[in-house]
Amino acid sequence: MLETAVENYLEGKQINYSKKNKEYRVLTDIMLLQAAEENYCLEPQLPFTAWFWAVERLSEDDRCILSCQQNTSTRTTGHSQHQE
């Protein structure tokens, strides 16, 4: 998104260093998050797994209906009903 939102060059073909610095910070943050992720080992917990697989799945039609209802609600109110 940053690639298309901000120009690579300023007037007179000067490199947009502000954009390059922001790209560097974003990539650095991604690399740090990836390194930190290696320290975690998530184990599935039986109660959650049992609940998750027991939840009734919606049909494709029902998912579309709910999605349309949510989109209409968000457009009308300006925010999602599930935001806190």
Side-chain angles (χ1 to χ4, degrees):
M1 191 155 114
L2 183 61
E3 178 63 32
T4 58
V6 181
E7 294 295 325
N8 287 320
Y9 296 96
L10 304 172
E11 293 178 27
K13 296 292 182 187
Q14 295 177 354
I15 296 174
N16 187 347
Y17 286 106
S18 176
K19 176 182 177 180
K20 297 299 178 190
N21 285 334
K22 187 168 185 171
E23 288 174 342
Y24 174 79
R25 286 193 310 272
V26 168
L27 290 173
T28 301
D29 287 347
I30 291 171
M31 289 177 12
L32 288 172
L33 288 169
Q34 289 173 334
E37 172 272 331
E38 292 176 2
N39 296 323
Y40 291 93
C41 180
L42 299 178
E43 297 291 330
Q45 297 190 358
L46 188 56
F48 174 79
T49 304
W51 168 83
F52 180 81
W53 291 110
V55 172
E56 182 182 349
R57 304 299 187 261
L58 296 174
S59 69
E60 181 71 23
D61 290 340
D62 288 340
R63 289 194 304 260
C64 288
I65 290 168
L66 285 174
S67 178
C68 290
Q69 288 173 346
Q70 181 63 37
N71 288 340
T72 302
S73 174
T74 302
R75 261 186 262 130
T76 304
T77 62
H79 65 280
S80 173
Q81 294 173 349
H82 298 288
Q83 289 179 338
E84 294 182 21

